[in-house]
Amino acid sequence: MNVRMIEEPGCREIEVTVRSAPGDSRAARIAERVRSMFGRLVGYADGGSIDRLVVPLESVISIETAEKRAWIHTVGGKRLESPMRLYELEDALEGTEFVRVSRQALVNLDHVMGIRPEPNGRLALKMGNEDIVIVSRSYVSDLKGRIGITH
Amino acid sequence: MARNREQDGFLSGYDNRNIGSAVGMGLLTGSLITVIMLVLSIAVGAAISGLSDWMRYYLSYIVAGLAGGILQQLWFNYHPTMRFAYSARLLGFGITYYVVLAACAYFGSWLPAGNPWAWATFSIIFLVIFAAVTFIIGVSLKKRGIEYTERLDEYHAKRRGE
């Protein structure tokens, strides 16, 4: 793989071109990573569609795994299938408002409307789409640290 | 880089890394095997000589145990019920488990059949304890919930630059 940086005076936007042989899945993953750095995720509509949809991060409520796939839940009730796995999305979304809350889910803290403590050291998050997401014990301290809950 | 945490966890199915988790997994699977063996032995005994009092007694305890586990999962770990407050779920668990326990107590002759006071005492003690536990836990969780929501609101306000 060759990586080249070209600096052009007068260039107003960063443009990233990923060039590869047809069907190279690594190239697709690299493109996804770069897109997420610019605040966007790509998904495919539920039902096996090949139409690719690009969604801004601020409209993503949560990302969950089900049926061995990662599903992006957006404002407006859409569910999109991500070409990336959950741990790849977690890496790509590091430094954003997304936080891992269990082995199956990432949530966008901007869409967390309420927090409720549960026994056994868990938390229940009320999301903007009225869904309840449970924070597993092993992820509670990370989440509390992000929000500023000290005990 | 984030760890692939899918590989972590007591019940993840991967090699147990310490003796505690290995023994714990053993206890869990051993308990399941024990229950299966007990049920099978009671079934065989009942097929041979009918359902005796001791068989009903042990079967009622097995049912009470299994039902407790299932109801616990349904009320506290099943997604559709998670939208209710914990105290409501605890109350729901208490009422449904009371019905099961009463049925098991009757079937297994835990209490003297012709003594309504024994039944009344059993019911009152169970329900009073449950109501007290529900109230205490509910108050504690509500207090913490208010504090957590305040921290969340502050976090959102800071994000908005207020």
Side-chain angles (χ1 to χ4, degrees):
Chain A
M1 182 171 74
N2 293 318
V3 178
R4 282 190 300 170
M5 266 188 66
I6 302 168
E7 292 180 2
E8 282 180 9
C11 193
R12 288 197 192 154
E13 267 194 355
I14 296 175
E15 183 184 300
V16 176
T17 303
V18 179
R19 199 159 61 173
S20 71
D24 189 336
S25 59
R26 291 174 304 170
R29 283 204 293 275
I30 290 167
E32 292 308 325
R33 293 275 182 116
V34 172
R35 259 194 214 98
S36 63
M37 284 171 62
F38 287 93
R40 286 176 176 73
L41 287 179
V42 165
Y44 297 88
D46 201 356
S49 168
I50 58 168
D51 294 331
R52 216 160 57 175
L53 298 169
V54 179
V55 292
L57 286 183
E58 56 264 22
S59 73
V60 176
I61 295 174
S62 61
I63 303 169
E64 291 181 310
T65 52
E67 302 148 15
K68 295 185 181 175
R69 288 177 268 182
W71 298 93
I72 300 168
H73 297 273
T74 69
V75 167
K78 269 203 200 111
R79 189 174 91 139
L80 306 174
E81 183 183 348
S82 171
M84 294 167 74
R85 295 183 67 182
L86 194 71
Y87 71 91
E88 292 173 324
L89 286 160
E90 186 185 3
D91 281 344
L93 294 170
E94 203 171 325
T96 66
E97 282 307 292
F98 284 81
V99 61
R100 188 83 177 256
V101 295
S102 69
R103 284 158 61 184
Q104 296 85 23
L106 296 168
V107 299
N108 183 345
L109 286 177
D110 285 342
H111 287 281
V112 174
M113 300 295 117
I115 298 185
R116 195 181 70 207
E118 289 277 312
N120 299 329
R122 299 182 303 177
L123 297 174
L125 304 180
K126 185 174 177 183
M127 305 305 295
N129 59 354
E130 302 296 315
D131 198 14
I132 301 288
V133 174
I134 298 299
V135 184
S136 303
R137 250 197 315 267
S138 44
Y139 296 92
V140 163
S141 57
D142 283 349
L143 181 75
K144 279 182 171 180
R146 282 289 291 269
I147 295 172
I149 297 170
T150 51
H151 64 274
Chain B
M1 176 155 175
R3 285 188 302 139
N4 180 0
R5 293 198 201 200
E6 276 91 359
Q7 295 194 14
D8 290 346
F10 173 60
L11 295 176
S12 66
Y14 289 87
D15 291 341
N16 288 306
R17 294 299 172 100
N18 61 62
I19 189 152
S21 52
V23 170
M25 180 62 97
L27 281 172
L28 212 58
T29 50
S31 301
L32 187 60
I33 293 168
T34 302
V35 167
I36 292 170
M37 285 171 65
L38 277 171
V39 170
L40 283 176
S41 66
I42 289 171
V44 168
I48 293 171
S49 54
L51 204 59
S52 66
D53 286 346
W54 72 262
M55 287 179 195
R56 292 161 70 97
Y57 184 76
Y58 283 114
L59 205 51
S60 65
Y61 271 93
I62 290 169
V63 169
L66 290 174
I70 291 168
L71 287 172
Q72 188 201 37
Q73 289 300 310
L74 289 175
W75 283 106
F76 301 114
N77 279 326
Y78 181 48
H79 192 259
T81 54
M82 295 301 282
R83 56 186 61 252
F84 300 114
Y86 185 77
S87 49
R89 282 179 277 144
L90 193 55
L91 201 59
F93 171 76
I95 291 169
T96 49
Y97 198 36
Y98 169 75
V99 171
V100 170
L101 282 182
C104 289
Y106 178 76
F107 177 76
S109 304
W110 296 357
L111 301 168
N115 188 341
W117 291 111
W119 284 90
T121 308
F122 163 77
S123 301
I124 288 168
I125 290 173
F126 179 88
L127 292 172
V128 164
I129 290 173
F130 235 94
V133 166
T134 302
F135 177 74
I136 291 166
I137 293 179
V139 164
S140 162
L141 290 179
K142 189 172 180 182
K143 191 173 161 216
R144 263 197 289 154
I146 291 170
E147 192 195 326
Y148 288 2
T149 303
E150 280 172 4
R151 292 288 92 74
L152 179 69
D153 290 343
E154 282 168 14
Y155 177 81
H156 284 321
K158 216 187 292 183
R159 285 267 301 150
R160 287 191 298 263
E162 289 170 12

